[in-house]
Amino acid sequence: MLLTIDTSPPAARWMKDSLDRSAFHRTIPVVAARLSAVKMGSVLKAEVMRGLIINLPKVRTVVTDPEYPDSETKLILLRVQHEVDLTAASRSYLESQNASLTTYNIELDYNYWTADEILHAILPEELLDGSPTGFSMMGHLAHLNLNDEYLPYKHIIGQVILDKNKRLRTVVNKLDSIDTQFRFFKMELLAGEPNYVVEHSESDCRFKFDFSRVYWNSRLQTEHARLVNMFQPDEVVADVFAGVGPFALPAAKKGCAVLANDLNPESYKYLAMNVKNNKVSDRVRASCEDGREFIRHAATRLAADPMPGFLGPSLSQSQRRVLSQQQYPTSQPPPRQRIAHFVMNLPDSAITFLDAFRGILASSSSSSSPSSKSAIDLAVLYDVMPMVHCHCFTRESEREAAERDILHRVEQRLGCVLSAENEVGLHLVRSVAPNKEMYCISFRLPHATAFEELPPSEPIPQ
Ligand SMILES: C[S@@+](CC[C@H](N)C(=O)[O-])C[C@H]1O[C@@H](n2cnc3c(N)ncnc32)[C@H](O)[C@@H]1O
């Protein structure tokens, strides 16, 4: 009878508060054939031995003989537990090779099993259907989002995940609360070092940030790439809620000039650091102000103080060599004065900021802006209106209802109806929770909104 070896770890359902690695030990006795080392190759390949040689992950088939460690004999481990379970043919074949049979103890310990296997041995039976071992990873830090039923075991879960993933040094669990203003997750240390400053790569850029004090969501990687793909390298992008730069930096790397803003001073600090570290200081202007103020002044400030012209993407030396045949402007290109895209990823409330676009290009706005040097004709500069990419949530799960709901809220804030000339597009970014979908609505800013002459006394609706 062939052995179906049970290699699962011993159950340890009494463990709750802390991990006892020594509880995970299992001895599995198997039959082994003692053979001269020179015969090993042919015996392992012999047809008659097929299916009889042990094949367990991380367990060697040929081992040193513990009884005769210095002899030239070795042991082949077999998949049976008793000699009588060997087939007659295999027994006589092994005899013909001068093999003798013995018992060998396979010793498995904590290091042998995966995180899932260890946790299956610890967690109560009723929790065994799911697995709490999923996490997102930022640099050396793993971020878990444990369901309530796993919370009594959170420190053990954290420790097992830390042990089993060599690149990790810190494991945290997301807490229910989120910082309402700056959107970063509150978290609790489960295992490892209390070090939340991580270094993480996305879209060929290096990001450094304190995950306990700024917003970062690795699930948005595709969305970051999707928008950056839309930008032309010679365009100017204004990122109203830039965080630590996941839109701004890749856009700058491809050549865009970027105005990147975030109100969280910690985000601004790491944004500025990341701009420097990724060597795009010449094409990113970072700021730390309220999004509404940023929107109101971005166009007039840029017109008065343009960004350098497009000189080609930011390339490594090797990329430069490969692309040396391509033609990028060599003479001084014209400075960039016109914003082509506004990015607004603050889905909880970005739509409520849209009224800040009212009148941003109006003559009253350009002449009253503190940074305008002289009368800049924004009407001439903005012969093409900027695209606005505004992220938002909706409770509507049906596409058409979601579209109606989002469009209605956007139009209310803009103070006008969007039509075909506004090139409206709606993109489902992800389902965040039941009845909570995240969308990005993109549209060309209506001329009437941007050039609306607001009476000086009329306050901008909040
Ligand atoms: C959802 S995060 C997006 C960050 C980044 N763009 C990304 O895609 O990962 C929103 C950002 O908006 C910033 N924020 C919140 N309120 C703001 C405001 N009134 N003005 C400017 N930035 C704000 C937060 O600090 C946070 O970094």
Side-chain angles (χ1 to χ4, degrees):
M1 183 192 68
L2 280 187
L3 182 65
T4 313
I5 298 174
D6 175 14
T7 56
S8 57
R13 304 210 190 281
W14 44 267
M15 257 185 239
K16 199 162 190 176
D17 300 323
S18 63
L19 178 68
D20 178 2
R21 296 177 187 82
S22 67
F24 295 96
H25 184 259
R26 180 164 216 143
T27 302
I28 302 174
V30 293
V31 175
R34 180 177 289 125
L35 270 167
S36 153
V38 291
K39 294 205 167 155
M40 285 295 161
S42 56
V43 171
L44 287 171
K45 281 189 226 132
E47 184 59 29
V48 67
M49 298 303 292
R50 225 179 180 188
L52 280 177
I53 314 281
I54 207 139
N55 64 343
L56 288 178
K58 294 192 268 181
V59 173
R60 298 170 63 174
T61 32
V62 176
V63 298
T64 301
D65 189 340
E67 282 179 53
Y68 307 101
D70 299 327
S71 87
E72 59 94 44
T73 59
K74 297 259 182 223
L75 299 182
I76 298 183
L77 306 188
L78 303 178
R79 275 178 67 183
V80 291
Q81 214 154 13
H82 307 286
E83 290 181 22
V84 291
D85 294 332
L86 280 173
T87 59
S90 64
R91 278 154 81 76
S92 60
Y93 171 72
L94 287 171
E95 270 167 34
S96 73
Q97 301 300 306
N98 296 327
S100 60
L101 297 178
T102 183
T103 299
Y104 180 85
N105 286 332
I106 298 174
E107 306 288 353
L108 304 183
D109 65 10
Y110 178 78
N111 296 319
Y112 178 77
W113 290 288
T114 63
D116 262 333
E117 287 169 328
I118 295 283
L119 290 173
H120 260 66
I122 295 174
L123 295 172
E125 308 270 354
E126 64 272 18
L127 294 185
L128 296 188
D129 274 352
S131 165
T133 51
F135 57 85
S136 50
M137 192 161 160
M138 274 81 44
H140 70 278
L141 183 146
H143 183 223
L144 279 72
N145 189 0
L146 290 176
N147 288 342
D148 287 353
E149 58 271 28
Y150 291 112
L151 293 181
Y153 305 89
K154 61 188 177 187
H155 291 294
I156 287 193
I157 294 171
Q159 189 59 54
V160 172
I161 287 175
L162 185 69
D163 289 345
K164 297 291 174 183
N165 295 277
K166 296 297 167 227
R167 283 176 54 206
L168 292 180
R169 297 203 314 275
T170 304
V171 179
V172 299
N173 188 38
K174 179 178 170 183
L175 295 178
D176 262 351
S177 56
I178 182 167
D179 179 276
T180 43
Q181 187 179 20
F182 297 139
R183 312 307 300 166
F184 56 83
F185 301 113
K186 304 270 174 71
M187 61 190 71
E188 172 189 26
L189 181 69
L190 296 186
E193 308 166 8
N195 173 7
Y196 309 111
V197 179
V198 302
E199 291 193 38
H200 182 74
S201 287
E202 188 181 287
S203 303
D204 274 344
C205 298
R206 295 286 304 158
F207 294 91
K208 185 170 182 175
F209 52 90
D210 183 339
F211 190 53
S212 66
R213 304 181 78 176
V214 308
Y215 179 91
W216 181 273
N217 188 343
S218 295
R219 292 205 186 101
L220 291 179
Q221 182 166 5
T222 313
E223 178 61 4
H224 296 145
R226 185 184 73 90
L227 284 192
V228 172
N229 263 334
M230 281 187 196
F231 308 150
Q232 296 305 310
D234 58 350
E235 290 180 326
V236 178
V237 176
D239 191 351
V240 185
F241 310 109
V244 298
F247 289 113
L249 266 67
K253 275 229 165 151
K254 82 187 258 188
C256 299
V258 185
L259 306 168
N261 175 69
D262 201 285
L263 185 60
N264 179 354
E266 282 294 312
S267 296
Y268 170 74
K269 177 177 115 185
Y270 286 104
L271 170 65
M273 191 185 290
N274 293 331
V275 166
K276 201 165 156 230
N277 292 347
N278 286 275
K279 301 188 171 58
V280 286
S281 306
D282 57 334
R283 56 189 74 176
V284 182
R285 259 179 216 163
S287 57
C288 182
E289 63 182 337
D290 180 66
R292 189 172 288 280
E293 283 302 297
F294 176 79
I295 292 169
R296 293 208 61 70
H297 300 300
T300 48
R301 285 178 189 160
L302 180 68
D305 185 10
M307 304 275 285
F310 172 61
L311 273 170
S314 162
L315 300 173
S316 66
Q317 281 197 338
S318 59
Q319 285 171 319
R320 240 174 233 294
R321 271 197 298 279
V322 174
L323 295 176
S324 61
Q325 308 306 328
Q326 288 192 11
Q327 289 305 302
Y328 290 110
T330 44
S331 58
Q332 203 53 40
R336 292 181 266 191
Q337 285 188 291
R338 187 177 65 80
I339 297 170
H341 300 269
F342 281 90
V343 179
M344 301 177 68
N345 182 17
L346 180 60
D348 221 30
S349 60
I351 289 180
T352 67
F353 285 72
L354 289 176
D355 51 58
F357 283 101
R358 292 172 63 177
I360 58 165
L361 302 178
S363 53
S364 51
S365 161
S366 56
S367 57
S368 66
S369 161
S371 47
S372 71
K373 285 181 187 150
S374 58
I376 299 151
D377 198 343
L378 294 175
V380 173
L381 196 55
Y382 281 84
D383 51 342
V384 180
M385 299 301 289
M387 288 297 289
V388 178
H389 309 280
C390 179
H391 293 88
C392 55
F393 294 129
T394 176
R395 289 183 179 285
E396 304 290 351
S397 47
E398 294 298 325
R399 170 89 190 192
E400 275 183 21
E403 197 163 337
R404 268 198 308 278
D405 167 51
I406 294 166
L407 206 54
H408 173 69
R409 287 186 282 142
V410 166
E411 289 175 343
Q412 263 193 331
R413 286 288 168 171
L414 291 174
C416 74
V417 173
L418 294 176
S419 64
E421 72 184 28
N422 299 110
E423 302 164 41
V424 181
L426 196 65
H427 173 79
L428 175 64
V429 177
R430 67 188 197 99
S431 289
V432 177
N435 295 324
K436 191 171 182 183
E437 314 289 313
M438 176 176 172
Y439 277 89
C440 176
I441 181 167
S442 296
F443 59 90
R444 209 167 274 292
L445 185 63
H447 191 276
T449 302
F451 285 94
E452 184 177 345
E453 292 290 349
L454 296 170
S457 54
E458 186 184 319
I460 300 294
Q462 298 289 313

